[in-house]
């Protein structure tokens, strides 16, 4: 009898197309779910009949309480090599092997610039007007050359965003709690003396920090108030780093020029959520990691993980 595998959150229906699942086809039956399962009871009911679960990034939490309700589960594959929403101790206690995959930082870098450029040049407004026989030219674009790009975080993604900013002729500065002048100099950017200085001096602010106790709520009402009324905020990192209520208030009151957001407190966003209709907001449905190359890696290596586990030699085990 074949084992059963389910792929979660296959919104585009491509999981079985972007990898060769036939290599495990004789031993594993694979199905994918295109609808998101938003609560533990729904997950427990839907996953009860599966031995293997493939989950995308950190979209679905796997706390100990859920693991305990899935006695048939034996292998959990998560895209990426870091996942903060899986209870690894519970997995070990219940005999569940956890494996990851590689993940490229290129797609979120590119999406960051898509949002930033879309905001700066009013792409959505102008395209909507043009296609709807509206006014010819209704916005005046914000320049990038000579303006300051402020980066909260200068890790793998932040440093690559910085390089693009420099190529545009922007002045780039960065801040994080442990960022040094030496590291900033390596990337060719200035070290802001404080978070407050970076926010107050930047024309564009982009968030590239990992979510943790020290970064949760890092940008609240007081911090957003430091930004110029002509400045833009971009967040392709984690929603909880920016206070969502404070951001909505700043957008509605016009205290910042706009925001480009790819991450939200609730995903998928419910119908009628305030973020769906907020003014001055260019929003995308968490597309930062969604690219053909990344998905090919995720699902291709998920198949490799399953095959290796079936052969008794799991690879890319988490936590690493």
């Amino acid at each position: 009898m074949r084992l059963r595998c389910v792929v979660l959150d296959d919104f585009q229906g491509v999981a079985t197309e972007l990898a060769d699942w036939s290599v495990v086809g004789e031993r594993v039956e694979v199905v994918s779910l295109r609808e998101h399962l938003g609560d533990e009871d729904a997950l427990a009911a839907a996953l009860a009949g599966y031995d293997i679960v493939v989950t995308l990034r950190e979209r679905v939490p796997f706390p100990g309480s859920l693991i305990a309700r899935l006695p048939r589960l034996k292998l959990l594959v998560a895209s990426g090599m870091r996942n903060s929403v899986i209870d690894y101790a519970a997995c070990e206690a219940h005999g569940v092997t956890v494996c990851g995959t590689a993940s490229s930082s290129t797609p979120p870098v590119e999406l960051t610039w898509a949002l930033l450029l879309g905001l700066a040049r009013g792409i959505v407004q102008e395209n909507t007007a043009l296609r709807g026989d509206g006014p010819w030219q209704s916005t005046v674009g914000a320049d990038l050359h000579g303006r300051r790009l402020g980066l909260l975080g200068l890790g793998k993604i932040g440093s690559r965003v910085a390089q693009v900013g420099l190529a545009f002729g922007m002045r780039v500065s960065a801040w994080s709690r442990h960022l040094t002048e030496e590291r900033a100099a390596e990337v060719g950017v200035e070290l802001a003396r404080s978070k407050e200085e970076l926010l107050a001096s930047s024309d564009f602010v982009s968030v590239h920090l990992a979510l943790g106790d020290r970064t949760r709520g890092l940008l609240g009402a007081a911090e957003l108030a430091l930004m110029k009324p002509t400045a833009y905020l971009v967040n392709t990192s984690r929603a909880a780093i920016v206070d969502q209520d404070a951001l909505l208030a700043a957008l509605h009151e016009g205290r910042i020029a706009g925001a480009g957001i790819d991450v939200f407190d609730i995903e998928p966003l419910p119908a009628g959520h305030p973020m769906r209709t907020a003014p001055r907001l260019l929003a995308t449905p968490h597309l930062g990691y969604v690219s053909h190359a990344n998905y090919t890696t995720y699902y291709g290596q998920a198949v490799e993980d399953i095959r290796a586990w079936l052969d008794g030699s799991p690879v890319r085990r988490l936590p690493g």
Side-chain angles (χ1 to χ4, degrees), residues 55 57 75-83 86 88 97-103 297-298 300-306 314-320:
T55 184
R57 303 300 294 147
L75 175 64
L76 177 59
V77 179
S79 57
M81 289 302 294
R82 180 175 64 184
N83 194 302
I86 294 174
Y88 294 110
T97 301
V98 185
C99 298
T101 74
S103 182
T297 297
Y298 289 168
Q301 292 193 2
V303 173
E304 292 175 3
D305 289 348
I306 294 169
V315 296
R316 291 185 286 266
R317 297 192 66 166
L318 296 177

Side-chain angles (χ1 to χ4, degrees), residues 6-11 31-35 37 43 47 53-56 60 62 76 299:
V6 60
V7 180
L8 299 182
D9 293 328
D10 184 19
F11 297 128
V31 299
S32 68
L33 301 181
R34 299 189 64 168
E35 299 297 323
L37 300 172
L43 282 163
L47 304 184
V53 173
V54 177
T55 184
L56 203 58
V60 177
F62 281 85
L76 177 59
Y299 295 124

Side-chain angles (χ1 to χ4, degrees), residues 39-231:
D39 63 77
E40 186 172 309
D41 288 341
L43 282 163
L47 304 184
Y50 292 97
D51 309 278
I52 303 167
V53 173
V54 177
T55 184
L56 203 58
R57 303 300 294 147
E58 297 173 324
R59 187 170 300 282
V60 177
F62 281 85
S65 55
L66 176 59
I67 298 297
R69 298 171 69 177
L70 301 174
R72 186 167 167 174
L73 179 63
K74 292 295 178 282
L75 175 64
L76 177 59
V77 179
S79 57
M81 289 302 294
R82 180 175 64 184
N83 194 302
S84 64
V85 298
I86 294 174
D87 187 330
Y88 294 110
C91 287
E92 183 176 3
H94 288 84
V96 178
T97 301
V98 185
C99 298
T101 74
S103 182
S104 172
S105 61
T106 298
V109 171
E110 294 173 351
L111 185 73
T112 295
W113 279 102
L115 289 172
L116 194 153
L117 288 166
L119 285 168
R121 299 306 298 266
I123 298 298
V124 174
Q125 300 96 304
E126 295 289 6
N127 178 258
T128 301
L130 186 147
R131 294 172 64 86
D133 293 329
W136 185 262
Q137 296 186 0
S138 58
T139 63
V140 177
D143 295 285
L144 302 189
H145 191 277
R147 299 299 177 91
R148 182 169 295 280
L149 171 63
L151 301 174
L152 290 167
L154 197 64
K156 185 182 297 184
I157 294 175
S159 60
R160 296 183 69 177
V161 171
Q163 291 167 2
V164 178
L166 293 170
F168 273 117
M170 302 183 79
R171 295 174 294 151
V172 183
S173 58
W175 177 88
S176 65
R177 281 188 171 88
H178 302 295
L179 183 61
T180 64
E181 288 189 6
E182 290 76 16
R183 170 58 183 161
E186 287 177 5
V187 182
V189 307
E190 302 173 28
L191 175 65
R193 289 177 294 181
S194 65
K195 173 184 64 177
E196 291 75 16
E197 179 191 76
L198 181 137
L199 293 170
S201 63
S202 297
D203 300 293
F204 299 87
V205 175
S206 192
V207 180
H208 302 288
L209 294 165
L211 179 62
D213 292 338
R214 291 186 175 184
T215 58
R216 188 178 300 275
L218 185 72
L219 299 187
E223 288 76 19
L224 293 175
L226 295 173
M227 293 179 62
K228 302 175 183 180
T230 55

Side-chain angles (χ1 to χ4, degrees), residues 255-275:
R255 288 189 274 110
I256 60 175
I261 303 296
D262 186 49
V263 287
F264 306 90
D265 281 346
I266 304 172
E267 295 185 7
L269 277 180
H273 191 281
M275 278 288 186

